[in-house]
Amino acid sequence: MERRVRTRIAPSPTGDPHVGTAYIALFNLAFAYKNGGDFILRIEDTDQNRYIEGSEQMIFDSLKWLGLDYAEGPDLGGKYGPYRQSERFDIYGEYAEKLVEKGEAYYCFCTQERLEKLRDRQKAMGKAPGYDGHCRSLTQEEIKAKLEAGEPYVIRLKMPYEGETVIKDRLRGDIVFENNKIDDQVLLKADGFPTYHLANVVDDYLMGITHVIRAEEWIASTPKHIQLYKAFGWQEPEFIHMPLLRNSDRTKISKRKNPVSLNWYREEGYLKEGIVNFLGLMGYSFGENKEIFTLDEFKENFDIDKVSLGGPVFDLVKLGWVNNQHMKMKDLKELTELALPFFVKAGLIKEEISEKEFETISRVVELLREGSQTLKELVSQSEVYFKDEYSLPVVTDETDKKEIKGIERLYSVIQDETGKRAIKLFKEKIKECNEEISVDEAKALLQSTLDEIGEGPGKVYMPLRAVLTGLPKGADLYNLVSIIGRDRVLARMERMIEQYNI
């Protein structure tokens, strides 16, 4: 009888949730979905020295934010729980002892001092470090005496000395390891805590995991896991080792060279759709040159055998492009609601806003999303629509030559006669308008000013831009005038006219 497909991710709560966790979760979720199975979350928190308070909740929050929904987990429950390893300690001790009884594992009483000397000796001889099997040959009488004397011990797996262990990896084919090069792995530590290897295998078996989809860095550990399955007499899952995410220099992605925290991407204003889409491109080809897709489309299209083993590069430039596509696709009202906290944080709006203020913000979002890669970037470009007090830029030691010319030109155009005429004429025209000005009305207003002055756009629009924004270039004036309205246009102009004696 064919088993129901069950996949999992098992992150450790040791800090901010990692983009690599989301990457592996996405592929596990898609595989389970495509095969009518279950995707579950398990928390591997046996290493209490690295445990960070609040990290577990951040894992839950990040996966739910991204829409990578798991069917079972510590916060959801399920019939295979508990789903925290720290709540399963008795289980691991029981199964480690079972292996000892079967002759597949043994008690090791070697002291830390002996193990350190062994490593030093192996290093001096140019050998790879590893346990030498010293306690493997202890007699039952010797073991009993040591236990009765209360000597501390660990439990080690009894690896075969001969033959090979073969990983039948779905993506990579057969990966062969010589057994005599794999030492006897500790399964249960002296303090009763399981090692990763024991807990991982026992949990995967008891939770019915049929496919282990994880990063390729775990390949070296897999022979020990396979031997554990054999020692217990259990059917092993199918192993699928995904390519690692890489920096642009092909090294493994790390926070030294790339932001890896999902919290960082969320705080920068990347959309969940953009993140998931980008991760779906990592080592996977959707087909038909399609690079922009939704999570549902990815799940429907998914085929694990289409995963490429070339190390996918986590390119922030590409991520920005992907995210921009989703910003342009998203419903405007929803995008505006997502942007509101960024406007508040930037000090551009208050937390409580009116319906009319929301409409104004929505117009700004619609204008700026075309050229913005994140919500944070969009907000940073929107100050001109919200801040009515500003000054013309000044030249400093850090100003480059190109900028200096632009600033000098800005001061020049507001002081020459054409610029002064344009400012005065536009001010008189705007006074005759209603408070709310449509885009078409703003365009007509600017065009009539240009026509009456009889000069080129540079001599007319640049001084107007200077008094309306304090900048030499930027937002289209007709959009600005329409969005901020008559009263704010006049207030800005009057303040700048007075400040610069125009």
Side-chain angles (χ1 to χ4, degrees):
M1 183 176 173
E2 194 169 310
R3 295 192 293 169
R4 179 179 177 84
V5 167
R6 284 174 62 81
T7 66
R8 54 76 174 168
I9 56 163
S12 299
T14 55
D16 282 8
H18 198 285
V19 290
T21 299
Y23 161 61
I24 296 299
L26 173 61
F27 283 79
N28 272 277
L29 171 64
F31 184 84
Y33 173 84
K34 196 67 175 179
N35 290 280
D38 305 313
F39 166 57
I40 73 168
L41 169 66
R42 183 173 72 231
I43 296 293
E44 297 196 341
D45 59 348
T46 55
D47 189 346
Q48 293 296 302
N49 292 327
R50 297 179 62 220
Y51 176 82
I52 294 178
E53 191 71 35
S55 182
E56 180 184 282
Q57 187 61 49
M58 287 193 289
I59 292 170
F60 301 157
D61 293 344
S62 294
L63 292 175
K64 288 171 183 174
W65 169 57
L66 293 171
L68 304 177
D69 298 328
Y70 42 95
E72 304 161 30
D75 56 333
L76 299 180
K79 65 178 182 179
Y80 295 92
Y83 294 89
R84 291 183 187 89
Q85 288 188 338
S86 58
E87 297 172 3
R88 300 171 62 85
F89 281 157
D90 291 345
I91 297 173
Y92 307 128
E94 175 190 340
Y95 278 92
E97 292 291 348
K98 281 183 180 180
L99 288 182
V100 173
E101 291 170 12
K102 291 179 68 176
E104 300 288 354
Y106 59 95
Y107 298 113
C108 173
F109 300 91
C110 291
T111 63
Q112 193 61 36
E113 182 184 10
R114 181 186 182 275
L115 293 175
E116 288 174 2
K117 286 182 178 178
L118 172 63
R119 277 194 292 270
D120 290 343
R121 187 164 64 250
Q122 289 170 331
K123 187 176 179 180
M125 295 171 67
K127 293 183 177 180
Y131 185 62
D132 60 357
H134 177 74
C135 291
R136 188 163 167 160
S137 58
L138 291 177
T139 65
Q140 290 301 313
E141 291 75 17
E142 288 173 318
I143 293 169
K144 184 180 179 183
K146 288 178 179 293
L147 291 173
E148 289 176 350
E151 288 189 31
Y153 65 86
V154 300
I155 292 179
R156 290 183 182 271
L157 174 66
K158 191 179 286 185
M159 279 292 296
Y161 280 148
E162 298 178 348
E164 298 171 334
T165 299
V166 180
I167 306 171
K168 296 186 177 299
D169 189 282
R170 175 125 172 204
L171 298 176
R172 300 162 189 272
D174 289 354
I175 307 172
V176 181
F177 288 82
E178 295 178 39
N179 291 334
N180 61 9
K181 293 182 179 177
I182 305 171
D183 69 345
D184 292 353
Q185 178 66 48
V186 174
L187 302 178
L188 201 70
K189 294 180 276 190
D191 57 8
F193 278 64
T195 59
Y196 165 81
H197 307 284
L198 176 67
N200 180 279
V201 168
V202 169
D203 286 347
D204 279 350
Y205 173 74
L206 294 180
M207 292 181 182
I209 302 304
T210 59
H211 295 77
V212 173
I213 304 172
R214 59 188 178 189
E216 64 183 288
E217 61 190 328
W218 294 109
I219 289 175
S221 299
T222 306
K224 300 171 185 178
H225 300 174
I226 290 174
Q227 287 300 331
L228 270 170
Y229 278 102
K230 288 181 178 178
F232 281 119
W234 296 338
Q235 180 181 348
E236 67 187 64
E238 182 169 14
F239 291 101
I240 303 170
H241 289 96
M242 296 288 295
L244 283 174
L245 300 181
R246 303 281 178 181
N247 296 310
S248 56
D249 62 1
R250 313 302 293 180
T251 57
K252 177 185 172 183
I253 188 173
S254 67
K255 61 185 178 183
R256 290 187 299 276
K257 296 183 180 180
N258 248 330
V260 296
S261 165
L262 285 171
N263 291 344
W264 184 87
Y265 290 96
R266 193 172 187 176
E267 289 163 4
E268 285 294 303
Y270 288 90
L271 302 184
K272 63 181 181 180
E273 294 88 350
I275 294 284
V276 168
N277 187 160
F278 179 68
L279 292 174
L281 294 170
M282 296 291 96
Y284 187 78
S285 173
F286 194 94
E288 300 177 357
N289 295 318
K290 185 178 176 71
E291 290 194 296
I292 302 302
F293 44 78
T294 65
L295 174 57
D296 285 343
E297 287 174 328
F298 181 79
K299 286 157 61 178
E300 290 291 345
N301 170 273
F302 188 71
D303 178 355
I304 192 72
D305 297 313
K306 288 165 63 177
V307 171
S308 167
L309 294 179
V313 174
F314 197 93
D315 180 2
L316 288 178
V317 175
K318 182 64 174 283
L319 171 58
W321 176 80
V322 170
N323 200 64
N324 171 256
Q325 302 306 304
H326 284 278
M327 286 179 67
K328 291 189 288 190
M329 290 162 53
K330 181 160 293 284
D331 173 76
L332 180 59
K333 183 174 183 290
E334 184 183 354
L335 187 65
T336 303
E337 288 170 345
L338 290 171
L340 288 180
F342 293 89
F343 282 105
V344 172
K345 190 173 183 180
L348 299 178
I349 64 170
K350 297 176 182 177
E351 288 194 24
E352 298 293 329
I353 59 172
S354 67
E355 188 174 328
K356 184 176 180 181
E357 287 171 318
F358 183 87
E359 289 175 3
T360 299
I361 296 164
S362 187
R363 290 182 65 187
V364 173
V365 170
E366 186 173 24
L367 279 175
L368 297 180
R369 67 174 170 180
E370 290 291 321
S372 301
Q373 295 191 341
T374 67
L375 293 173
K376 190 173 180 180
E377 182 185 343
L378 183 153
V379 170
S380 72
Q381 295 174 358
S382 71
E383 288 190 0
V384 69
Y385 298 98
F386 295 93
K387 291 189 174 180
D388 290 332
E389 294 192 7
Y390 44 83
S391 299
L392 297 179
V394 295
V395 175
T396 67
D397 292 340
E398 284 75 37
T399 310
D400 65 37
K401 291 181 180 179
K402 190 174 180 181
E403 287 179 307
I404 291 173
K405 286 184 178 180
I407 293 171
E408 289 174 345
R409 169 78 173 140
L410 200 61
Y411 281 90
S412 171
V413 296
I414 65 171
Q415 295 298 339
D416 69 25
E417 287 306 312
T418 301
K420 288 182 177 181
R421 281 177 56 214
I423 293 167
K424 181 179 179 181
L425 179 59
F426 187 76
K427 182 182 172 186
E428 293 305 314
K429 286 178 176 291
I430 205 81
K431 283 181 180 178
E432 304 301 319
C433 294
N434 295 322
E435 163 56 14
E436 293 188 6
I437 304 171
S438 71
V439 169
D440 286 341
E441 287 171 336
K443 284 182 177 179
L445 202 63
L446 287 161
Q447 185 63 49
S448 68
T449 304
L450 182 67
D451 292 342
E452 288 185 39
I453 295 297
E455 294 281 0
K459 288 200 168 187
V460 175
Y461 293 156
M462 194 169 187
L464 291 179
R465 185 184 301 282
V467 295
L468 287 174
T469 70
L471 300 170
K473 58 184 178 179
D476 289 324
L477 287 177
Y478 57 85
N479 281 321
L480 177 69
V481 169
S482 176
I483 287 172
I484 69 175
R486 179 197 64 202
D487 292 349
R488 288 178 64 198
V489 167
L490 285 171
R492 289 187 182 198
M493 294 187 77
E494 287 167 358
R495 191 181 66 82
M496 292 294 277
I497 288 169
E498 181 180 353
Q499 183 175 348
Y500 293 97
N501 194 28
I502 299 172

